[in-house]
Amino acid sequence: MKAIELDTRDRILDVAERLFAEHGIDAVSVRKITAAAKVNLAAVNYYFGSKDGLIGAVVERRVAPLSQRQVQALDAVRKGGKGRAPRLDLILEAFCRPMIEQAMDPKAGGAVFGRFMVRCLADPNPIVGKKVAEHFGSVGKRFYEMLVQAVPGMPQEDLWWRMHLLMGGLHHCLMILTVHKASSGRRCMKMDADKYVKRFVSFAAAALKVRI
Amino acid sequence: MKAIELDTRDRILDVAERLFAEHGIDAVSVRKITAAAKVNLAAVNYYFGSKDGLIGAVVERRVAPLSQRQVQALDAVRKGGKGRAPRLDLILEAFCRPMIEQAMDPKAGGAVFGRFMVRCLADPNPIVGKKVAEHFGSVGKRFYEMLVQAVPGMPQEDLWWRMHLLMGGLHHCLMILTVHKASSGRRCMKMDADKYVKRFVSFAAAALKVRI
DNA sequence: GTATAATTCAAACGTATGTTTGAATTCTGG
DNA sequence: CCAGAATTCAAACATACGTTTGAATTATAC
């Protein structure tokens, strides 16, 4: 069961993501990446122009599709409600499922993807921060607007903070879930994703409904 | 209103913490720190042995007292219960109040402290991670044990994940709360801390009580 | 006041970094 | 088969980094 031989560009992207996930983005040098990927040192500049270009490409490759799937899932819930206020649990599931499922599916990156994504959400690197804000901004906006509809009567400031409490909690748990597995290469079984989605949804729904 | 002239060692600690909070720990060089603190380049090695020694000292100075205050607050709640199961809201408050209060009190570091602490909790730097685990380990242990007593009947695995959802949420909100203010130098009023504590406690209590 | 210790300072050291270069090699279309 | 483009490669570039050094300066104790 040999891995398919990827071309230089893709091998750099994969190796860079794995090393970024393990050691943090700014702690990984171009030399370490090219050595681990078994390509020449100059290949990074040849294909991505610069180290920053590589970082941007690695982030974009994961953040863009994920945020897009979240937006689609949220929009599907809104459409399904047919004008009525959307169900809270469906909103929460649409928000969290794409990330949890991909982080637990080895074929889609699994723990390495999850750990890398968590790094991105907390990294001080300005390129990473810009890309994350750019793509997840629309997700957060939709998520918040739909929560306002689904939790009527709650002061919007309270709801805004609670949404961020949930986002931060989800990211933190994804970190715990992937921190060991990402480096050891141990496989996560996709069937577990449902369990974690349910856990998060019931937790979040209760926390959002209660009055202060 | 001139600032008190601190000696070299303390000025390095203060400036390093501020720059770490703003740009991330590994993104700040010894040269940037000494230039901003207006001390000689060699002062860092003279007082702290190495850059790693400085990082350790900066982290230790904040993490040790904070974790100690959390442990004391949690122990006080346990003692106050006189053997009975401690009240959930008091546990949650003991856990979150020390951090929120200090992050909103300009005299104790305020937003710079808060942002630095959040950086520490997510930083890939091994020295930081070791110090954080060392000091906050006992906090987490106590917090979890008391939650088990206060929320009977919940599967411990569920409770463990919910605790981490709360921890991550708190850290994320502290980041939002301090991200702008830390760099702009704007003051936070201490009187707001109570509001944020209440917000977190009611949110967390509801999220912990509900059955899956 | 003077000797001793503590601190500050400018300069340099060795190393690691991101990037560039130009030749060598491999791939591609006719 | 071959010209031209695409890619790979070893080597070097300039810069920034953490650290060390030894002299200069300041503070401390007797």
Side-chain angles (χ1 to χ4, degrees):
Chain A
M1 182 158 158
K2 174 124 187 305
I4 300 162
E5 192 72 23
L6 295 169
D7 64 357
T8 301
R9 210 188 111 96
D10 287 338
R11 214 157 64 240
I12 292 174
L13 284 172
D14 285 347
V15 168
E17 183 187 31
R18 180 169 55 82
L19 294 180
F20 289 163
E22 279 178 32
H23 308 106
I25 290 169
D26 282 321
V28 181
S29 67
V30 173
R31 281 174 167 81
K32 284 176 191 158
I33 295 169
T34 52
K38 290 173 185 162
V39 301
N40 187 268
L41 170 61
V44 163
N45 293 81
Y46 179 76
Y47 282 104
F48 303 98
S50 66
K51 186 189 182 181
D52 282 354
L54 169 61
I55 294 173
V58 175
V59 175
E60 179 85 21
R61 186 174 69 140
R62 295 304 194 184
V63 167
L66 175 63
S67 63
Q68 196 178 327
R69 250 175 301 134
Q70 283 180 301
V71 166
Q72 282 171 355
L74 287 169
D75 282 349
V77 171
R78 176 149 43 192
K79 298 287 197 320
K82 305 218 179 257
R84 291 188 304 272
R87 267 171 54 190
L88 179 56
D89 58 339
L90 295 182
I91 300 171
L92 293 166
E93 178 168 345
F95 175 75
C96 75
R97 180 177 283 281
M99 185 129 172
I100 293 176
E101 260 190 354
Q102 185 165 357
M104 304 190 82
D105 178 11
K107 291 196 296 290
V112 171
F113 158 82
R115 186 126 186 76
F116 172 71
M117 200 59 63
V118 171
R119 287 254 191 253
C120 287
L121 295 167
D123 203 277
N125 183 299
I127 296 162
V128 176
K130 195 177 158 191
K131 280 237 183 283
V132 167
E134 191 179 301
H135 285 93
F136 286 126
S138 56
V139 176
K141 192 163 173 290
R142 267 159 225 261
F143 188 37
Y144 176 66
E145 287 168 355
M146 292 173 72
L147 286 182
V148 170
Q149 295 173 15
V151 189
M154 164 138 358
Q156 298 211 355
E157 195 195 351
D158 288 334
L159 190 55
W160 190 85
W161 279 107
R162 291 187 184 198
M163 178 185 73
H164 281 287
L165 280 165
L166 292 175
M167 288 174 162
L170 183 58
H171 299 159
H172 179 73
C173 285
L174 264 170
M175 186 179 73
I176 296 175
L177 202 58
T178 56
V179 61
H180 299 114
K181 296 181 180 170
S183 32
S184 71
R186 193 145 38 104
R187 297 301 174 95
C188 313
M189 284 181 293
K190 188 173 180 177
M191 53 181 297
D192 282 340
D194 276 335
K195 192 170 72 185
Y196 284 97
V197 170
K198 281 210 184 75
R199 231 197 281 268
F200 176 77
V201 169
S202 65
F203 170 92
L208 288 176
K209 280 183 202 150
V210 72
R211 307 277 302 163
I212 286 186
Chain B
M1 180 162 162
K2 174 127 187 304
I4 301 162
E5 192 74 19
L6 295 170
D7 65 356
T8 303
R9 210 189 111 96
D10 287 336
R11 214 157 65 241
I12 292 173
L13 284 173
D14 285 348
V15 168
E17 184 186 30
R18 181 169 56 82
L19 293 179
F20 289 163
E22 279 178 32
H23 308 106
I25 291 169
D26 283 321
V28 181
S29 68
V30 173
R31 283 174 165 82
K32 284 178 191 158
I33 294 170
T34 53
K38 289 171 186 161
V39 300
N40 187 268
L41 170 61
V44 163
N45 292 82
Y46 178 76
Y47 282 105
F48 303 98
S50 64
K51 185 189 182 181
D52 283 354
L54 169 61
I55 294 174
V58 176
V59 175
E60 180 84 20
R61 186 173 70 141
R62 296 304 195 184
V63 167
L66 174 64
S67 63
Q68 197 179 325
R69 252 176 298 135
Q70 284 179 299
V71 166
Q72 283 172 355
L74 286 170
D75 282 350
V77 171
R78 176 150 41 191
K79 299 284 197 320
K82 306 220 178 252
R84 291 190 304 274
R87 265 173 53 190
L88 179 56
D89 57 340
L90 295 182
I91 300 171
L92 293 166
E93 178 168 347
F95 175 76
C96 75
R97 180 177 284 281
M99 185 130 174
I100 292 176
E101 260 188 355
Q102 184 164 357
M104 302 189 84
D105 179 11
K107 290 197 295 293
V112 171
F113 158 82
R115 186 127 184 75
F116 172 71
M117 200 57 65
V118 172
R119 287 254 191 252
C120 287
L121 295 167
D123 204 278
N125 184 301
I127 296 162
V128 177
K130 195 179 159 188
K131 281 237 182 282
V132 167
E134 191 179 299
H135 286 94
F136 286 125
S138 56
V139 177
K141 193 165 172 290
R142 266 158 225 263
F143 188 38
Y144 175 66
E145 288 168 356
M146 292 174 72
L147 286 181
V148 170
Q149 294 173 17
V151 189
M154 166 143 352
Q156 298 210 355
E157 195 196 349
D158 288 334
L159 190 56
W160 189 85
W161 279 107
R162 290 185 186 198
M163 179 185 73
H164 281 288
L165 280 164
L166 292 175
M167 288 175 160
L170 183 59
H171 299 159
H172 179 72
C173 286
L174 266 169
M175 185 180 72
I176 296 175
L177 203 58
T178 57
V179 61
H180 299 113
K181 295 181 180 168
S183 32
S184 71
R186 193 144 38 105
R187 297 300 173 96
C188 314
M189 285 181 291
K190 188 173 180 177
M191 54 180 296
D192 282 339
D194 276 336
K195 192 169 72 184
Y196 284 98
V197 170
K198 282 210 184 71
R199 230 199 280 267
F200 177 76
V201 169
S202 64
F203 170 92
L208 288 176
K209 279 183 204 149
V210 72
R211 307 277 303 162
I212 287 186

